[in-house]
């Protein structure tokens, strides 16, 4: 039985368009990198991070869209035991890996491009490939832990709330059991904070390194390659820093307005949250010459047809 209002239909339509656009962009990113992997038999550290980031964002958007679709169009399906737990667990795993892999990308740019004479920093620059693998592995392990915790928290909340399967929309049932979901809000804040801190430090170190390098090269009128590399890295890191800050504010607003049942504000925040994975991946594609060339080639072929 379908239970959807005109507002719900509009929100589902908007979210669906954004989710599928974001999935297409990240699927393109993954496909291009996989083809390059097959051809070259190897990927560099930057490509490994982008590949895992694209996979995380694609799956995150996929599970998030499934949950939103079911909660608006067919909410009673979520009352089936383990369906809600598995959806939220999977979304939490891929969303956390999205945040932390993005942070790994910023750290990679900082170590690879910034110029410091510190011994520890030089050691990191020499061992960057091994460090990237360890960071990615740690990100996946932490994301898996968060996903398992979310599953346990929701499972306990469902079992404790005897009226959880009564008639009515799922979000209303969730609000009645709100006290059980505070740990999830805490986990979301923890994930955002721990992944946001390295992004801020990476931006600060890159900015300081760029300032020092430009100061040294001020007397030289020749265009310097290192300065261009600094600027490109700064654009990528700062774009993520700005979008991440807005994303964090939207997550906070979602928690606040969900308690007040403000559907309009929740929809506005969801519009940005669904746009973030696609828009940032698009920025990363246009900052990479190979990916940009492949995308423009596909778009030109589509335009010709």
């Amino acid at each position: 039985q379908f239970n959807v209002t005109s507002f719900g239909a509009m929100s589902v339509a908007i979210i669906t368009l954004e989710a599928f656009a974001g999935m297409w962009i990240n699927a393109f990113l993954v496909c291009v990198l996989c083809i390059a992997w097959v051809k070259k038999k190897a990927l560099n550290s930057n490509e490994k991070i982008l590949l895992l980031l694209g996979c995380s964002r694609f799956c995150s958007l996929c599970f998030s869209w499934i949950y939103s679709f079911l909660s608006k169009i067919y909410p009673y399906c979520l009352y089936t035991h383990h369906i809600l737990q598995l959806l939220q667990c999977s979304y939490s795993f891929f969303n956390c890996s999205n945040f932390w892999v993005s942070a790994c990308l910023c750290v990679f740019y900082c170590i690879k491009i910034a110029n410091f004479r510190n011994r520890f920093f030089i050691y990191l620059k020499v061992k960057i490939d091994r460090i990237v693998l360890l960071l990615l592995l740690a990100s996946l392990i932490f994301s898996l832990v968060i996903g398992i915790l979310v599953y346990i928290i929701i499972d306990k909340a469902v079992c404790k709330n005897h009226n959880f399967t009564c008639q009515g929309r799922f979000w209303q049932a969730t609000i009645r059991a709100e006290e059980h979901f505070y740990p999830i809000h805490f986990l979301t804040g923890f994930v955002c904070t721990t992944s946001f801190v390295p992004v801020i430090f990476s931006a600060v170190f890159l900015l300081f390194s760029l300032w020092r390098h430009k100061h040294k090269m001020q007397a030289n009128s020749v265009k310097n390659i290192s300065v261009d590399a600094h600027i490109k890295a700064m654009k990528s890191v700062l774009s993520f820093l700005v979008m991440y800050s807005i994303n964090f504010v939207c997550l906070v607003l979602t928690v606040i307005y969900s308690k007040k049942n403000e559907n309009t504000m929740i929809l506005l925040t969801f519009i940005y949250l669904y746009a973030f994975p696609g828009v940032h991946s698009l920025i990363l594609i246009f900052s990479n010459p190979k990916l940009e060339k492949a995308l423009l080639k596909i778009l030109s072929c589509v335009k010709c047809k």
Side-chain angles (χ1 to χ4, degrees):
Q1 179 183 355
F2 290 94
N3 181 17
V4 59
T5 62
S6 58
F7 181 84
M10 182 184 68
S11 62
V12 168
I14 295 172
I15 288 173
T16 299
L17 287 173
E18 288 189 322
F20 276 78
M23 283 190 279
W24 186 91
I25 292 169
N26 286 285
F28 163 80
L29 181 65
V30 171
C31 289
V32 171
L33 292 173
C34 287
I35 292 171
W37 192 359
V38 172
K39 288 182 178 179
K40 297 189 299 181
K41 307 294 183 182
L43 290 176
N44 58 41
S45 297
N46 183 40
E47 291 171 335
K48 290 175 184 175
I49 298 173
L50 290 176
L51 178 61
L52 188 56
L53 184 61
C55 291
S56 299
R57 286 179 169 173
F58 178 87
C59 295
S60 173
L61 284 169
C62 184
F63 281 105
S64 181
W65 176 80
I66 292 172
Y67 172 77
S68 297
F69 181 82
L70 291 177
S71 64
K72 295 291 184 182
I73 304 297
Y74 198 40
Y76 302 105
C77 180
L78 294 174
Y79 300 150
T80 306
H81 193 50
H82 294 308
I83 294 293
L84 174 63
Q85 293 92 315
L86 290 173
L87 281 176
Q88 288 289 359
C89 170
S90 301
Y91 169 73
S92 297
F93 169 74
F94 289 113
N95 195 44
C96 291
S97 61
N98 165 30
F99 284 133
W100 281 329
V101 173
S102 300
C104 291
L105 182 64
C106 295
V107 172
F108 169 78
Y109 284 146
C110 179
I111 296 175
K112 192 75 175 177
I113 296 172
N115 293 316
F116 295 105
R117 294 182 180 179
N118 183 276
R119 286 185 178 181
F120 180 68
F121 192 83
I122 294 173
Y123 172 80
L124 292 178
K125 192 178 281 285
V126 172
K127 300 291 184 179
I128 183 65
D129 292 330
R130 184 177 296 179
I131 291 171
V132 165
L133 290 176
L134 291 175
L135 287 175
L136 293 179
L137 181 60
S139 299
L140 291 177
I141 292 173
F142 286 140
S143 300
L144 182 60
V145 172
I146 294 295
I148 293 172
L149 289 175
V150 167
Y151 183 94
I152 294 171
I153 292 168
I154 295 179
D155 192 58
K156 287 183 178 179
V158 171
C159 293
K160 287 181 179 180
N161 189 24
H162 301 293
N163 295 324
F164 197 79
T165 56
C166 65
Q167 291 185 350
R169 298 193 61 79
F170 169 74
W171 189 244
Q172 294 172 345
T174 305
I175 292 174
R176 286 197 294 270
E178 185 65 33
E179 65 271 11
H180 300 294
F181 293 100
Y182 284 128
I184 294 182
H185 301 328
F186 173 78
L187 287 176
T188 303
F190 173 77
V191 170
C192 292
T193 304
T194 53
S195 55
F196 197 29
V197 169
V199 175
I200 295 174
F201 277 103
S202 298
V204 171
F205 284 134
L206 271 173
L207 190 62
F208 182 65
S209 176
L210 175 63
W211 176 80
R212 283 184 58 192
H213 194 74
K214 288 193 74 174
H215 184 71
K216 289 180 181 179
M217 299 298 297
Q218 203 167 19
N220 192 354
S221 59
V222 181
K223 191 176 181 181
N224 190 267
I225 298 175
S226 182
V227 173
D228 294 338
H230 271 84
I231 293 174
K232 287 181 179 179
M234 279 302 302
K235 286 180 179 178
S236 298
V237 174
L238 287 177
S239 66
F240 182 66
L241 186 64
V242 172
M243 294 184 68
Y244 198 105
S245 301
I246 301 173
N247 191 74
F248 182 77
V249 173
C250 287
L251 287 172
V252 174
L253 291 176
T254 302
V255 174
I256 294 173
Y257 285 106
S258 65
K259 297 177 182 179
K260 298 179 180 180
N261 204 20
E262 293 283 346
N263 291 328
T264 304
M265 287 302 301
I266 293 175
L267 176 61
L268 292 175
T269 55
F270 275 5
I271 287 173
Y272 179 83
L273 292 174
Y274 275 90
F276 170 72
V279 172
H280 187 249
S281 294
L282 202 60
I283 293 172
L284 294 176
I285 289 171
F286 281 108
S287 63
N288 187 305
K290 293 181 181 178
L291 295 173
E292 181 183 9
K293 184 178 178 181
L295 179 61
L296 294 176
K297 187 177 180 180
I298 291 176
L299 292 176
S300 62
C301 291
V302 172
K303 187 177 180 181
C304 291
K305 289 182 180 179

